[in-house]
Amino acid sequence: MSPNLRGALLMAACMAAFTFNDAFMKSVSDEMGLYQALFIRGIASTLLMVVLAAATGSLRFGVSRRDWGIILLRTVAEVAAAFFFLTALFNMPIANASAIMQALPLTVTLAGAVFLGEAVGWRRLSAILVGFAGVMLIVRPGAEGFTIYSVYVVLAVLSVTARDLAARAVSVETSSMTVAIAASLGVWVFAGVGLLGEEWQPVSTGGFLSLMGASVLIIGGYFFSTAAMRVGDIAFIAPFRYTSLLWALLLGLVLFGEWPDGLTLLGGAIVIATGIFTFHRERKLALKAGECA
């Protein structure tokens, strides 16, 4: 299996895991606050990951100082992404939040060009700008239905972009599981601090089971997102993030009776179309380079 194909499959698995985790987390939003939900999920997910890593021999702490610094940066970005996205998710439809998150392939491609020196021509740059116009259709600043939570999702996009670029900078000697455990631990500690100012609520059986489901799925999300960004080309892998919108639309309709309005769907379609164009352009350039080699 080629690195690009492996990265694409990992990204698709990552999106499924994260989106189902989001649905489980949203399902407890009427029962408890964000920090309590994150704290309970963090206990289970972190302990499960440590046990899994120890059992598979991937629990390694012999990491270089450079990698520890990058892991710390990535963990801070993970904490910010979790806070902004889940705060928004507790207060808006899951499909609307997911539609804004579809800007990620564009922001990651642009950030890869700016910070990693990856080539982005004027056509792909134009596609990124059009994609951002699609995001504005979803967010609609100044419109009657606009809320601060749409801005929170945009901030989550920026946080995930920073997270993914940091993951790409980690050396191959450091295991993806080590990076994932650091992320889970960071979110857990953050939730614990936030919980000091939040009243603890009784947890129902259904709420507990939802959080345990989220704990298992977030492990897959953490691991697959780290692994996906460490293989293959960013521009090839990034469009497979769009699979999350399909899951979000389905879960939003089935579990929460939610369906986005026409402008949100149009904005999401524009973002996805520009991302697919970026992917197509990348493939054409790769084929051309192969013919010239």
Side-chain angles (χ1 to χ4, degrees):
M1 188 181 296
S2 70
N4 276 350
L5 180 56
R6 187 164 65 251
L9 291 175
L10 286 167
M11 183 57 71
C14 163
M15 290 298 98
F18 272 133
T19 309
F20 275 84
N21 159 76
D22 295 340
F24 276 125
M25 293 295 286
K26 185 174 177 62
S27 70
V28 302
S29 60
D30 292 333
E31 185 175 328
M32 67 189 74
L34 172 64
Y35 295 117
Q36 181 178 340
L38 277 175
F39 186 77
I40 296 173
R41 188 191 71 177
I43 293 174
S45 62
T46 303
L47 292 178
L48 283 172
M49 289 173 74
V50 170
V51 171
L52 180 62
T56 58
S58 56
L59 185 62
R60 305 172 196 152
F61 297 103
V63 177
S64 67
R65 181 177 298 179
R66 171 189 174 277
D67 276 2
W68 275 127
I70 296 172
I71 290 171
L72 177 61
L73 175 63
R74 186 189 182 280
T75 300
V76 171
E78 184 74 64
V79 169
F83 171 75
F84 287 124
F85 184 74
L86 289 176
T87 299
L89 188 65
F90 274 36
N91 294 278
M92 67 188 298
I94 186 173
N96 289 48
S98 181
I100 299 173
M101 293 296 288
Q102 301 315 302
L104 266 171
L106 304 174
T107 59
V108 170
T109 299
L110 182 60
V114 174
F115 297 106
L116 301 181
E118 297 192 357
V120 176
W122 69 268
R123 291 182 181 85
R124 284 183 290 173
L125 184 59
S126 298
I128 289 172
L129 294 176
V130 173
F132 287 146
V135 171
M136 289 299 101
L137 273 180
I138 304 169
V139 176
R140 276 169 276 173
E144 183 178 348
F146 172 76
T147 69
I148 189 62
Y149 300 113
S150 296
V151 178
Y152 274 36
V153 184
V154 173
L155 293 174
V157 168
L158 298 178
S159 300
V160 175
T161 301
R163 181 198 73 185
D164 285 356
L165 290 186
R168 197 166 180 84
V170 176
S171 65
V172 294
E173 289 78 17
T174 299
S175 72
S176 295
M177 185 61 80
T178 299
V179 179
I181 289 174
S184 182
L185 184 61
V187 173
W188 181 20
V189 171
F190 169 77
V193 173
L195 191 57
L196 296 176
E198 186 177 276
E199 185 177 350
W200 186 271
Q201 300 297 324
V203 181
S204 67
T205 301
F208 178 77
L209 292 176
S210 292
L211 290 174
M212 291 305 99
S215 300
V216 173
L217 288 163
I218 199 66
I219 292 173
Y222 284 147
F223 178 79
F224 293 139
S225 66
T226 303
M229 292 306 297
R230 299 178 72 182
V231 295
D233 302 319
I234 286 180
F236 185 95
I237 296 167
F240 288 86
R241 292 181 185 275
Y242 296 135
T243 55
S244 68
L245 183 56
L246 300 177
W247 288 118
L249 286 169
L250 177 63
L251 292 170
L253 180 62
V254 173
L255 298 181
F256 307 109
E258 302 168 345
W259 189 256
D261 61 24
L263 279 179
T264 297
L265 290 173
L266 176 61
I270 290 173
V271 173
I272 291 175
T274 53
I276 291 174
F277 171 81
T278 302
F279 164 73
H280 176 67
R281 184 66 185 163
E282 177 68 20
R283 292 298 299 153
K284 284 185 66 176
L285 291 176
L287 290 173
K288 186 176 180 180
E291 290 172 357
C292 295

